[in-house]
């Protein structure tokens, strides 16, 4: 019987197979290319992302899971069905497969209902839902028990989850619609303003991922291509890494405000444990050099960054779906 953990991230979908030793079996952009008024599906996942900015006007790229919410059930289910088939799950096996979905911290009833509908659309019957902080806490590998809560902070493409969680429940937590996408949009605006170049979302993301840094001694440049703001003609400019710092830091600062709010809500004993254990940081955005140091310094707290931060949630999901006890402790069905 198939046992899968699925993280339908705003940017990337990750699938972990737990009934064998396969581990992560799929990592693909969570997007679909659609064409025409009927929004007919043209491509899914990496094939769709490759089309961004290169297609005729009648084709557009849709992210059916936007900021943690399923915004198009039709496209989300087409995408998930395709991913399940790419992983090798035959349609006859869907009914019996055990599937764990990650959900944002404090997901509303409506969000949960949408996930249930999505599972139903895909022919999945044995589904479990776990809020992201449990997944990251399990993946942290540190002490995680009723008396040993973990402070988790996960910054993804569209959502940041911040929570203090013990095996007993989420003691304090919040999820908010801030993530790498906001930083990318900020970079697009800044490059237009400072360099006079209009760039696409993919180029902005590449700038962030390749030269973005919060290092106080940030250096480096990268050539970006786009169209000149002035002449509207194709053009290329060299972008300074130091110009990107602000675009990243404003959102890091917003996230820190929320992190402080969560920490202020803690009962004294929990606060003491959290202070002793430090923060566990994850999510793809945490790959930005010096972001973790910045967060640790501002929170005045020890921290640990997950080894592969973008996979933390799905690795935790894999560990939970494999273990009957953890599944019954953390999952809603
Ligand atoms: N090397 C890198 N440097 C900086 N940012 C990166 C790097 N690699 C990926 N990212 C960013 O991490 C984000 C994706 O992270 P992740 O996969 O954790 O998000 P997600 O799970 O898809 O989304 P969410 O959790 O918000 O729903 C994107 O904004 C991406 O640009
Ligand atoms: Mg995520």
């Amino acid at each position: 019987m198939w046992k899968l953990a699925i993280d339908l991230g705003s940017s990337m979908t990750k699938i972990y197979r737990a009934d064998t030793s396969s581990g992560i079996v799929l990592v693909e952009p969570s997007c679909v290319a659609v064409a025409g008024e009927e929004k007919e599906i043209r491509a899914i996942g990496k094939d769709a992302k490759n089309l961004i900015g290169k297609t005729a006007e009648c084709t557009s790229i849709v992210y059916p899971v936007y900021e943690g919410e399923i915004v198009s059930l039709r496209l989300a289910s087409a995408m998930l069905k395709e991913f399940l088939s790419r992983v090798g799950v035959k349609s006859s096996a869907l009914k019996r497969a055990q599937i764990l979905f990650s959900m944002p911290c404090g997901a509303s009833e409506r969000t949960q209902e949408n996930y249930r509908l999505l599972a139903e659309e895909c022919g999945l019957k044995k589904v479990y839902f776990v809020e992201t902080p449990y997944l990251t806490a399990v993946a942290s590998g540190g002490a995680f028990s009723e008396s040993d809560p973990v402070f988790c902070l996960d910054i993804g493409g569209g959502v940041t989850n911040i929570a203090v969680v013990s095996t007993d429940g989420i003691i304090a937590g919040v999820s908010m619609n801030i993530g790498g996408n906001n930083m990318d949009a900020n970079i697009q605006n800044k490059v237009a303003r400072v360099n006079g170049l209009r760039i696409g979302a993919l180029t902005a993301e590449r700038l962030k991922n390749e030269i973005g840094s919060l290092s106080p001694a940030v250096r480096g440049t990268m050539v970006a291509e786009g169209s000149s703001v002035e002449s509207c003609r194709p053009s290329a400019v060299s972008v300074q890494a130091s110009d990107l710092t602000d675009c990243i830091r404003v959102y890091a600062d917003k996230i820190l405000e929320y992190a402080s709010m969560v920490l202020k809500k803690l009962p004294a004993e929990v606060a003491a444990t959290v202070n002793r254990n430090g923060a566990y940081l994850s999510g793809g955005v945490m790959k930005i050099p010096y972001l973790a140091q910045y967060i640790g310094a501002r929170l005045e707290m020890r921290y640990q960054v997950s080894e592969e931060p973008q996979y933390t949630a799905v690795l935790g999901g894999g560990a939970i779906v494999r273990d009957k006890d953890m599944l019954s402790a953390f999952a809603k069905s």
Side-chain angles (χ1 to χ4, degrees):
M1 182 184 51
W2 286 82
K3 287 186 185 180
L4 300 176
I6 301 181
D7 181 10
L8 281 175
S10 307
S11 303
M12 303 291 280
T13 294
K14 301 94 170 169
I15 302 185
Y16 184 104
R17 182 166 183 190
D19 56 298
T20 63
S21 55
S22 315
I24 295 171
V25 287
L26 179 133
V27 179
E28 293 228 22
S30 310
C31 61
V32 180
V34 294
E37 292 210 341
E38 299 293 306
K39 297 214 181 303
E40 196 189 312
I41 295 171
R42 286 287 158 84
I44 289 175
K46 52 181 175 311
D47 306 333
K49 188 160 182 182
N50 281 336
L51 294 176
I52 292 184
K54 299 175 194 148
T55 59
E57 265 175 29
C58 59
T59 305
S60 54
I61 309 294
V62 180
Y63 281 78
V65 182
Y66 183 72
E67 297 180 341
E69 301 283 341
I70 296 167
V71 288
S72 162
L73 186 60
R74 179 178 76 93
L75 297 180
S77 60
M79 181 175 83
L80 182 55
K81 277 183 201 160
E82 175 61 22
F83 288 160
L84 287 167
S85 129
R86 285 183 194 175
V87 164
V89 190
K90 300 243 160 52
S91 33
S92 57
L94 290 169
K95 254 197 333 239
R96 277 176 297 122
Q98 271 191 10
I99 310 282
L100 182 153
F101 284 100
S102 58
M103 275 202 301
C105 175
S108 67
E109 254 316 307
R110 203 180 53 116
T111 305
Q112 294 179 38
E113 188 50 32
N114 284 338
Y115 271 85
R116 276 189 206 104
L117 288 173
L118 171 68
E120 212 175 286
E121 260 320 282
C122 294
L124 303 167
K125 299 272 188 248
K126 290 189 188 163
V127 287
Y128 305 89
F129 304 99
V130 182
E131 291 176 73
T132 300
Y134 288 109
L135 308 179
T136 43
V138 166
S140 74
F144 174 48
S145 66
E146 204 176 319
S147 56
D148 242 327
V150 179
F151 175 42
C152 300
L153 200 164
D154 181 286
I155 311 177
V159 184
T160 293
N161 281 287
I162 306 171
V164 175
V165 55
S166 80
T167 46
D168 224 17
I170 293 176
I171 299 164
V174 63
S175 90
M176 62 213 175
N177 301 338
I178 294 180
N181 295 344
N182 301 90
M183 298 170 181
D184 299 345
N186 235 353
I187 289 172
Q188 277 182 295
N189 292 336
K190 179 103 186 235
V191 171
R193 214 171 51 244
V194 172
N195 306 88
L197 188 77
R198 244 192 304 269
I199 56 170
L202 277 187
T203 304
E205 185 180 20
R206 222 175 299 128
L207 284 167
K208 173 190 80 215
N209 297 3
E210 288 182 23
I211 58 168
S213 167
L214 288 191
S215 162
V218 62
R219 274 189 291 142
T221 58
M222 188 179 133
V223 174
E225 294 174 331
S227 62
S228 159
V229 170
E230 209 173 270
S231 69
C232 295
R233 295 231 304 269
S235 178
V237 297
S238 179
V239 176
Q240 302 276 346
S242 53
D243 281 338
L244 308 182
T245 308
D246 287 349
C247 305
I248 295 165
R249 196 170 38 215
V250 262
Y251 286 104
D253 287 342
K254 281 202 168 92
I255 289 166
L256 281 161
E257 274 175 38
Y258 282 91
S260 302
M261 267 161 43
V262 167
L263 290 170
K264 280 181 191 158
K265 281 191 199 154
L266 299 178
E269 286 303 331
V270 177
T273 313
V274 162
N275 206 36
R276 207 165 45 240
N277 291 347
Y280 186 67
L281 310 177
S282 62
V285 170
M286 217 48 85
K287 287 167 112 176
I288 294 175
Y290 287 89
L291 175 59
Q293 283 91 327
Y294 184 74
I295 290 174
R298 292 286 305 277
L299 292 176
E300 298 180 334
M301 196 180 257
R302 290 185 322 133
Y303 62 88
Q304 185 196 333
V305 188
S306 167
E307 213 169 291
E308 290 193 284
Q310 73 276 39
Y311 301 141
T312 305
V314 84
L315 290 172
I320 295 176
V321 74
R322 179 181 282 138
D323 183 303
K324 254 197 342 228
D325 293 339
M326 281 208 275
L327 200 57
S328 60
F330 304 136
K332 297 177 188 159
S333 49

